[in-house]
Amino acid sequence: MPDAGFAKTTHWRRRGNEKPSLRRRLLTFLLVPVLIVLLLDSLLAYLVALAYSNRVHDADLSDSALTLAEMMTSNALDGELTAQARFLLEYDPDGRNYYSVISSTRGRLIGNAELGNPGHLVAVDRAPVLYNSSLGNRPLRAAVMRIPNPNAHEPNDVLTITVAENLRDRHQRAREILMLTLPLQTLLILAIFLLLWFGVSYGLRVLEPLTARLGRRGHDLSPIGETDVPVEILPLTRTIDDLFARMRGMMTLQERFIADAAHQLRTPLAGIQLQVERMDTTNDVTAHADALAHIHRLSTRAARTSAQLLALTRTQSPHLDEAGRMCAIDLAQIIPEAVSLRVHQALGSRIDLGYESNMESSPILGDALMLQELLDNLIDNAFHYAGPGHSITVGLHRIDDAVLLSVEDDGPGVDDAFLSRLGERFFRVPGVREEGTGLGLAIVESIAEQHDAKVTFLRGALGGLRVEIRFSPAETPPA
């Protein structure tokens, strides 16, 4: 016999794997409240029927009290009732009625039960007063009235006349009225269910033109638009349009990367192939060594170009902040560490690399790895174009409400006419002999843009190039 707990777990797992249904969800949210309202309506109908039954029975009970008072008046000589009168007062097909007549001077005259008083004084010669009473554990409804004793020998005597009945017949009448309305309630429930089912099914057909149009799109990533889109679906289609826009951006970025890679790697790869063919056509050791040197230089250039193309593509990705890598970091901590990692290379290149700052803490919102790449590209650019025997200074200062990162060299610099073009993809200053890809400063521009920072290219105080990057400080200090 299978374990009951395992069967139950399997059942819930199967239900959990069901695909969500908009129709089922709408019907659930519509039918459940409607069924609850109909149940409340049935309860209200029963309460109304019970109130109506109580009102009718209360009227009959008052009439019975008045009738008993008239009987007492007609039997004033002895205070007794005839057998027929007793039968009429006590008769009840579902139980028994109760009555009593109590004299203020002689006590109880007639009656078949000890009935409680209403709890307050009832005026003489007034209409019967209705109240709830009980006999043992049986709840009763009673009517009481007071009349002067018609016996002339007792002019100051007052008779208290009480008539009571059980509540069974009242509830029975209310249930009968409810049973009369139940078929109508059932038909109403079925009619509402069918109307809701038809309305939801018909209403969902408005999505069919949109579904058909999307099915014919193929690989088209253009915006869906709002032509045949219901108002309730607009937030979804706008979100999809945003997704399409990001996908178009990523595809454009991918196509640009492929085009750039093909353009930039064509020359070094063709050069490598040429040097390999040169080695195949000669046995000269000197020619082989020269060809290997060219191959090494060209392969290094291809590797650097590939790395910078990948870095540029990565920095241009629109999902940097969405990846959750942006956080509060301290430039006064990471910049000196990044500069120290390049000191050994600077010494080997006979370049004086230094760092200066007047800040103990400079928090910004950013990504430490990308800022490291930004600084590496600035230092690499200075290494290539300043050359041996020159100096490079990395600075970090607070200017007004901004954090200013600067890299300045005392090399030959760049003509003012070309400063505005620095940062363009593949742009290299004319006349520069040093090899490069023209991507380093483009990477700097892209990373700065991701950090909402502004890049400025200037002529340095010593004639070289000065690059300034202005960051906005973080609102909260780094953790």
Side-chain angles (χ1 to χ4, degrees), residues 25-195:
R25 187 177 181 86
L26 288 175
L27 289 174
T28 300
F29 276 101
L30 291 173
L31 287 177
V32 171
V34 168
L35 291 176
I36 293 175
V37 169
L38 291 176
L39 290 176
L40 293 176
D41 179 62
S42 299
L43 177 60
L44 181 62
Y46 175 76
L47 294 177
V48 171
L50 183 59
Y52 175 77
S53 177
N54 284 333
R55 187 166 63 251
V56 172
H57 281 75
D58 284 349
D60 291 343
L61 202 58
S62 297
D63 290 342
S64 297
L66 292 171
T67 301
L68 181 56
E70 292 177 1
M71 289 179 181
M72 291 303 302
T73 301
S74 63
N75 291 277
L77 295 177
D78 54 6
E80 293 292 334
L81 295 176
T82 63
Q84 293 84 354
R86 288 178 182 274
F87 175 78
L88 292 175
L89 286 171
E90 296 179 1
Y91 174 75
D92 183 359
D94 295 320
R96 187 180 183 187
N97 291 333
Y98 307 92
Y99 66 95
S100 69
V101 178
I102 299 176
S103 170
S104 61
T105 59
R106 292 189 295 164
R108 179 179 174 184
L109 300 181
I110 58 175
N112 60 359
E114 293 290 340
L115 301 173
N117 56 57
H120 60 277
L121 183 63
V122 179
V124 180
D125 276 342
R126 296 294 180 88
V129 175
L130 296 163
Y131 67 98
N132 294 323
S133 182
S134 63
L135 184 64
N137 295 326
R138 178 179 298 178
L140 300 176
R141 181 71 170 169
V144 61
M145 63 181 300
R146 300 179 72 207
I147 61 173
N149 193 338
N151 193 331
H153 300 289
E154 301 180 24
N156 297 324
D157 189 21
V158 176
L159 299 181
T160 301
I161 300 173
T162 306
V163 179
E165 66 178 7
N166 59 35
L167 305 180
R168 180 185 305 169
D169 189 54
R170 298 168 180 254
H171 292 285
Q172 180 63 29
R173 298 290 86 77
R175 285 193 293 269
E176 289 175 358
I177 295 174
L178 177 63
M179 294 305 295
L180 290 175
T181 62
L182 276 181
L184 296 178
Q185 297 281 1
T186 303
L187 290 177
L188 180 62
I189 291 174
L190 292 176
I192 291 178
F193 177 82
L194 292 176
L195 287 174

Side-chain angles (χ1 to χ4, degrees), residues 252-262 306 309-311 313 425:
T252 301
L253 194 63
Q254 181 181 15
E255 292 171 357
R256 182 185 298 175
F257 171 78
I258 294 173
D260 291 344
S306 299
L309 282 172
L310 289 171
T313 303
R425 295 159 56 88

Side-chain angles (χ1 to χ4, degrees), residues 34 59 90 95 113 118 137 142 144-145 228 251 254 301 309 320 365 367 378 423 458 467 479:
V34 168
E90 296 179 1
N137 295 326
V144 61
M145 63 181 300
D228 55 353
M251 293 180 66
Q254 181 181 15
R301 176 183 172 184
L309 282 172
L320 173 63
L365 191 65
D367 175 63
L378 287 176
L458 306 167
V467 183

Side-chain angles (χ1 to χ4, degrees), residues 213-458:
R213 182 159 62 89
L214 291 177
R216 296 191 297 267
R217 289 172 67 94
H219 299 287
D220 183 12
L221 295 179
S222 60
I224 296 175
E226 303 179 1
T227 304
D228 55 353
V229 180
V231 176
E232 293 77 9
I233 309 297
L234 278 178
L236 175 61
T237 57
R238 288 169 180 169
T239 302
I240 295 175
D241 284 343
D242 291 340
L243 176 62
F244 283 172
R246 291 195 294 271
M247 292 181 65
R248 289 196 304 271
M250 294 298 295
M251 293 180 66
T252 301
L253 194 63
Q254 181 181 15
E255 292 171 357
R256 182 185 298 175
F257 171 78
I258 294 173
D260 291 344
H263 178 269
Q264 293 297 314
L265 296 178
R266 182 184 298 113
T267 299
L269 291 178
I272 291 174
Q273 181 179 3
L274 179 63
Q275 296 301 324
V276 170
E277 293 175 353
R278 176 186 172 190
M279 293 178 65
D280 286 340
T281 58
T282 181
N283 293 323
D284 187 4
V285 176
T286 303
H288 280 190
D290 184 64
L292 287 174
H294 279 82
I295 291 174
H296 181 269
R297 179 175 56 82
L298 292 171
S299 62
T300 301
R301 176 183 172 184
R304 177 174 174 78
T305 301
S306 299
Q308 288 198 314
L309 282 172
L310 289 171
L312 181 61
T313 303
R314 185 171 60 252
T315 60
Q316 292 176 336
S317 171
H319 305 296
L320 173 63
D321 194 32
E322 296 177 6
R325 295 188 295 181
M326 288 291 191
C327 60
I329 57 177
D330 191 356
L331 286 180
Q333 178 180 352
I334 68 169
I335 296 299
E337 294 176 356
V339 173
S340 65
L341 297 176
R342 306 299 299 270
V343 171
H344 181 73
Q345 181 184 359
L347 293 175
S349 301
R350 295 186 297 111
I351 293 177
D352 180 15
L353 177 62
Y355 172 76
E356 60 180 27
S357 175
N358 59 1
M359 303 180 65
E360 295 183 357
S361 176
S362 52
I364 68 165
L365 191 65
D367 175 63
L369 293 178
M370 299 200 74
L371 290 174
Q372 168 86 45
E373 190 165 3
L374 177 145
L375 184 61
D376 282 343
N377 278 279
L378 287 176
I379 295 177
D380 284 341
N381 185 77
F383 277 1
H384 279 87
Y385 299 109
H390 291 277
S391 63
I392 301 173
T393 303
V394 179
L396 187 64
H397 302 87
R398 180 174 292 277
I399 305 296
D400 298 328
D401 293 332
V403 178
L404 185 67
L405 171 65
S406 64
V407 177
E408 182 178 353
D409 62 71
D410 60 355
V414 177
D415 291 341
D416 294 341
F418 300 115
L419 287 176
S420 61
R421 298 196 59 187
L422 296 179
E424 294 182 8
R425 295 159 56 88
F426 306 116
F427 174 75
R428 300 186 67 229
V429 177
V432 176
R433 296 181 180 180
E434 292 291 333
E435 291 187 357
T437 61
L439 292 174
L441 295 181
I443 294 173
V444 171
E445 287 268 17
S446 181
I447 295 176
E449 182 180 354
Q450 293 281 4
H451 290 76
D452 294 326
K454 181 180 180 182
V455 181
T456 306
F457 301 102
L458 306 167

